[in-house]
Amino acid sequence: MKKTIPKKIHIIGSVGSGKTTLAKEISSKLDIPYYELDNVVWIRKMSGDIRRTEQEREEYLNSIIQSESWVIEGVHNEDWVSTCFQSADLIIFLDTKYSIRTYRIIKRFLKQKLRLEKSNYRPTLEIFFKMFKWNRYFEGVGKVNFFNRYDIHKDKTEVINNTNSLKKYFN
């Protein structure tokens, strides 16, 4: 029996784990749209980001989830994203090594400051240092919270340490 290709994929991981890169690759390969949860939280404007209200955020996320296919990526695992995990055919937990994530945070910041890479936010030193804080928090708290909160979806969750192990789904 041939395994069906998932049409609704949720990718979660820490800052620098490779979520956006993987989401773009899967989106391109399967020809389905991808969404960043940060852009569900924030309305991006040239003058500066504006945080959506809880109602706006939930309405926007629900409109995405109700579509036929999607790849959603983000670090969030709070209650407001629970329907996303529930609706997903596949949940990919990127468990990239802490040292690799740290290296990627530094590399990304330098590329953004040199305007070699686009970002959804203004790459300031404040954001740069917050990314290290968020990375530590995810390692110590976020990861544990995810597995405690969403253990009910373990049958459709794949923990990935490197993207080579995803080939079984997408080749």
Side-chain angles (χ1 to χ4, degrees):
M1 179 186 292
K2 186 170 171 123
K3 188 173 190 166
T4 59
I5 301 293
K7 291 186 174 197
K8 296 180 178 185
I9 302 167
H10 189 120
I11 302 170
I12 182 170
S14 184
V15 176
S17 63
K19 298 178 304 293
T20 305
T21 301
L22 181 59
K24 287 178 182 178
E25 289 173 4
I26 293 172
S27 171
S28 176
K29 185 160 186 138
L30 300 181
D31 193 30
I32 57 178
Y34 85 92
Y35 303 90
E36 299 174 39
L37 283 177
D38 283 348
N39 293 335
V40 173
V41 173
W42 299 97
I43 299 169
R44 306 297 188 176
K45 295 198 176 250
M46 291 297 289
S47 57
D49 297 344
I50 301 169
R51 185 182 288 273
R52 294 181 202 276
T53 65
E54 287 183 24
Q55 183 178 346
E56 290 171 328
R57 181 188 67 197
E58 288 179 24
E59 286 173 2
Y60 184 27
L61 182 59
N62 285 335
S63 72
I64 295 168
I65 291 171
Q66 291 170 12
S67 59
E68 184 178 320
S69 58
W70 43 260
V71 178
I72 295 174
E73 63 89 356
V75 67
H76 303 278
N77 66 25
E78 300 88 3
D79 288 340
W80 69 271
V81 292
S82 62
T83 56
C84 188
F85 290 113
Q86 186 177 3
S87 301
D89 300 324
L90 172 65
I91 300 167
I92 299 171
F93 185 95
L94 288 180
D95 196 16
T96 312
K97 284 184 182 179
Y98 186 84
S99 58
I100 291 171
R101 297 189 320 250
T102 301
Y103 167 77
R104 288 176 178 169
I105 291 168
I106 296 166
K107 181 179 160 187
R108 176 191 301 163
F109 178 74
L110 293 174
K111 282 182 153 185
Q112 289 171 346
K113 289 305 271 183
L114 294 170
R115 296 195 173 130
L116 299 173
E117 183 177 298
K118 185 182 168 292
S119 66
N120 291 325
Y121 52 87
R122 209 170 105 237
T124 63
L125 278 175
E126 181 183 5
I127 294 285
F128 177 62
F129 290 118
K130 280 184 178 180
M131 287 189 180
F132 293 107
K133 181 181 170 185
W134 296 330
N135 192 23
R136 275 192 315 274
Y137 180 84
F138 188 85
E139 189 68 21
V141 178
K143 189 189 298 192
V144 173
N145 285 349
F146 171 80
F147 288 108
N148 286 339
R149 185 175 285 157
Y150 298 107
D151 187 56
I152 58 172
H153 303 303
K154 65 183 171 193
D155 60 318
K156 61 180 178 181
T157 300
E158 288 292 325
V159 177
I160 303 297
N161 301 103
N162 62 65
T163 53
N164 292 335
S165 45
L166 284 176
K167 289 180 181 174
K168 66 180 178 178
Y169 284 102
F170 304 109
N171 284 336

